[in-house]
Every structure is written in structure tokens, then in C-alpha cells.
């Protein structure tokens, strides 16, 4: 069985989730969960590896505990005001079952992710995919706002909500773009280190153009976050700028001069 097949399923889920209205609707959740479970099953057939991964040692047990609580709720549905509501309860067993499937998919993704990312170049492809999806969501959202926010992709009526791009909830869109922005900043900082090494070797033209392109895409995501008018995301954007300034300062030859340069970049 080809080793790239689980990566294909997982990366397809990463692309599908944001573009399918944030996968908040049941049909989209089903497709998203099927893609993730397929990736997990293929990894299990090949043999799950990397048992010492931090995700499996710490995060996966926590997700398993949440799944256990959800299973108890699903098996014993009763309202909170009922006399027997000492244990986990739920007022809607159907909604609890859907959430349980979603958390199981999340656990499956955590279980197979270390094995998928262990393939050569997978981490780089993973990072660029998340970054690119943030750019796509930002461009669609900004374009939608420019057209009066009438329909998803210009086809489907929005309804009573005030979405952003393919997301029904603009706060969810801001969270996704915030994650993509942080990944983009990491790509930029890594590229900045390589740009310095190429500059010392006298080869800066290609790397400079690449860095300018990455910075331009980061600005697009940042502008999209601002256009969502989500205060939490805007504050996170400002904090990310501070972290970026400190990170770039570590690459400067003279710390004091580098700090002034970083602060100027942040304020501009």
C-alpha cells in the first residue's frame, strides 16, 4: 500500500473543512470524518508508529477522556433537571452523538498525524497547505464583503448570519486564519534565516523575491482577520506581531539595532 495515501486523505480533509462552510453542517461533517477515518485506517493497516509522540502521550489521552464522557452522555440521555442527573447528562442525544463522532475523528487525526508527518517533506507540505488555506479563506471573504455579502461563493444565500467567505461564523474564520497566519510567520522566519545565508554567499535575488511573496500572503491573511472585526482575533494578530518582532530580533547581528528595526516593523 502506498505510503502517500494516508497523507492524501488527511490533506484532503484539511482542504475540505474550511471550504465546506467550516464543516458545521452535518453533510460536511460526515465527509470530513470519513476522510480522517480513512487516513487513520490506512495508517493502522500500515502499522501505527511514533508511540512516544507528545500528541499521543498527552493530548490523545485527554481527547479519549472527552470521548468517554460523550459516550456516557449518549448512552444515558436525560435533562439536567432530572432526578438521576448526577452523572454526565445530555438534553439532545442526537447532537451528542454527532459531537462524539467529531471528537473520535479528532482523536483519529491525532493518532495518525505523527506517522503521516514522518514522511520526507510532509511537515513542509503540511505547513504550506495550512498557510495556503488561510490565504484562500481570506481572499474569498474579502471578495464576498466587497460584493455586499449576499451569498456563499456567489451561489448560496447567506441567510440571517453574517459570515466570512466560506465560513458561516466569521469568528471561526478568524480563528482558522489566525492559525494560518502563525504558520506563515514560521515559514517567513525560516526563510529569513536562509535568506541571510544566501546573502552572505552573494545569492539573494530568488530568496528575496520568495520572502516578499510570503510576506505579501501574510499581509493578505492579516487584512482578512481585520475585516472579520473579531476583537479576539485582532488582538491575537497584534500579539503575533510582537512575537514576530522578537523572533526577527534573534537573527540580527547587533541586538540593539535589531530591536529598533523589529519595533519599526511592528509599528508600521
Amino acid at each position: 500500500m502506498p505510503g502517500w495515501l494516508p497523507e492524501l486523505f488527511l490533506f484532503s480533509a484539511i482542504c475540505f473543512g474550511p471550504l465546506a462552510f467550516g464543516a458545521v453542517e452535518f453533510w460536511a461533517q460526515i465527509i470530513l470524518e470519513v476522510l480522517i477515518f480513512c487516513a487513520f485506517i490506512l495508517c493502522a493497516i500500515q502499522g501505527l508508529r511514533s508511540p512516544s509522540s507528545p500528541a499521543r502521550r498527552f493530548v490523545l489521552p485527554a481527547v479519549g477522556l472527552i470521548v468517554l464522557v460523550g459516550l456516557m452522555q449518549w448512552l444515558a440521555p436525560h435533562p439536567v433537571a432530572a432526578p438521576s442527573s448526577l452523572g454526565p447528562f445530555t438534553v439532545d442525544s442526537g447532537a451528542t452523538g454527532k459531537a462524539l463522532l467529531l471528537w473520535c475523528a479528532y482523536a483519529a487525526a491525532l493518532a495518525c498525524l505523527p506517522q503521516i508527518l514522518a514522511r520526507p517533506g510532509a511537515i513542509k507540505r503540511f505547513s504550506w497547505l495550512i498557510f495556503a488555506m488561510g490565504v484562500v479563506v481570506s481572499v474569498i471573504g474579502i471578495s464576498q464583503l466587497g460584493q455586499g455579502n449576499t451569498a456563499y461563493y456567489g451561489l448560496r444565500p447567506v441567510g440571517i448570519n453574517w459570515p466570512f467567505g466560506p465560513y458561516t461564523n466569521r469568528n471561526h474564520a478568524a480563528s482558522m486564519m489566525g492559525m494560518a497566519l502563525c504558520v506563515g510567520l514560521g515559514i517567513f522566519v525560516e526563510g529569513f534565516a536562509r535568506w541571510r545565508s544566501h546573502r552572505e554567499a552573494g545569492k539573494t535575488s530568488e530568496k528575496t523575491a520568495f520572502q516578499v511573496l510570503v510576506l505579501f500572503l501574510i499581509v493578505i491573511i492579516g487584512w482578512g482577520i481585520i475585516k472579520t472585526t473579531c476583537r479576539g482575533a485582532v488582538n491575537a494578530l497584534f500579539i503575533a506581531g510582537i512575537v514576530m518582532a522578537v523572533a526577527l530580533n534573534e537573527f540580527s547581528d547587533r541586538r540593539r539595532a535589531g530591536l529598533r528595526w523589529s519595533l519599526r516593523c511592528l509599528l508600521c
Side-chain angles (χ1 to χ4, degrees), residues 69-137:
V69 173
L71 183 62
M72 294 172 63
Q73 291 176 317
W74 183 60
L75 294 176
H78 52 271
V80 62
S84 59
S85 60
L86 294 178
F89 59 87
T90 180
V91 296
D92 189 344
S93 59
T96 302
K98 294 177 184 178
L100 185 60
L101 279 175
L102 188 62
W103 276 99
C104 287
Y106 184 49
L110 286 176
C112 65
L113 193 61
Q115 180 172 336
I116 293 176
L117 295 184
R119 299 185 69 246
I123 293 179
K124 188 174 183 178
R125 292 190 294 271
F126 183 73
S127 301
W128 272 102
L129 181 60
I130 293 177
F131 183 40
M133 290 307 303
V135 175
V136 169
V137 170

Side-chain angles (χ1 to χ4, degrees), residues 184-199 207-208 210-211 214-215 244 247-253 261-262 265:
L185 289 175
I187 294 174
F188 181 80
V189 171
E190 181 186 11
F192 186 80
R194 295 182 179 180
W195 176 83
R196 287 202 57 192
S197 63
H198 280 72
R199 185 185 66 176
K207 282 297 178 181
T208 300
F210 176 80
Q211 286 298 96
V214 173
L215 186 60
M244 180 67 176
L248 289 178
N249 182 51
E250 294 299 323
F251 292 98
S252 62
D253 295 327
W261 180 81
S262 300
C265 289

Side-chain angles (χ1 to χ4, degrees), residues 35-213:
L35 291 172
I36 294 175
F37 285 136
C38 286
F40 174 78
I41 291 172
L42 291 174
C43 286
I45 292 175
Q46 295 175 359
L48 291 173
R49 297 185 293 271
S50 302
S52 61
S53 168
R56 293 186 184 177
R57 285 186 297 170
F58 302 106
V59 182
L60 193 56
V63 174
L65 180 61
I66 295 175
V67 170
L68 177 61
V69 173
L71 183 62
M72 294 172 63
Q73 291 176 317
W74 183 60
L75 294 176
H78 52 271
V80 62
S84 59
S85 60
L86 294 178
F89 59 87
T90 180
V91 296
D92 189 344
S93 59
T96 302
K98 294 177 184 178
L100 185 60
L101 279 175
L102 188 62
W103 276 99
C104 287
Y106 184 49
L110 286 176
C112 65
L113 193 61
Q115 180 172 336
I116 293 176
L117 295 184
R119 299 185 69 246
I123 293 179
K124 188 174 183 178
R125 292 190 294 271
F126 183 73
S127 301
W128 272 102
L129 181 60
I130 293 177
F131 183 40
M133 290 307 303
V135 175
V136 169
V137 170
S138 180
V139 170
I140 294 175
I142 294 173
S143 302
Q144 184 186 32
L145 292 177
Q147 296 174 0
N149 195 27
T150 57
Y152 296 112
Y153 301 116
L155 301 174
R156 177 178 173 178
V158 170
I160 61 175
N161 294 321
W162 187 256
F164 185 86
Y167 274 84
T168 303
N169 189 321
R170 62 176 48 207
N171 293 327
H172 296 170
S175 298
M176 184 270 169
M177 289 187 293
M179 175 185 64
L181 179 68
C182 292
V183 174
L185 289 175
I187 294 174
F188 181 80
V189 171
E190 181 186 11
F192 186 80
R194 295 182 179 180
W195 176 83
R196 287 202 57 192
S197 63
H198 280 72
R199 185 185 66 176
E200 294 173 356
K203 302 176 181 179
T204 60
S205 56
E206 294 183 2
K207 282 297 178 181
T208 300
F210 176 80
Q211 286 298 96
V212 171
L213 174 61

Side-chain angles (χ1 to χ4, degrees), residues 239-260:
I239 295 173
I242 295 176
V243 174
M244 180 67 176
V246 174
L248 289 178
N249 182 51
E250 294 299 323
F251 292 98
S252 62
D253 295 327
R254 298 175 59 185
R255 184 171 299 272
R256 183 174 301 176
L259 180 58
R260 289 198 300 268

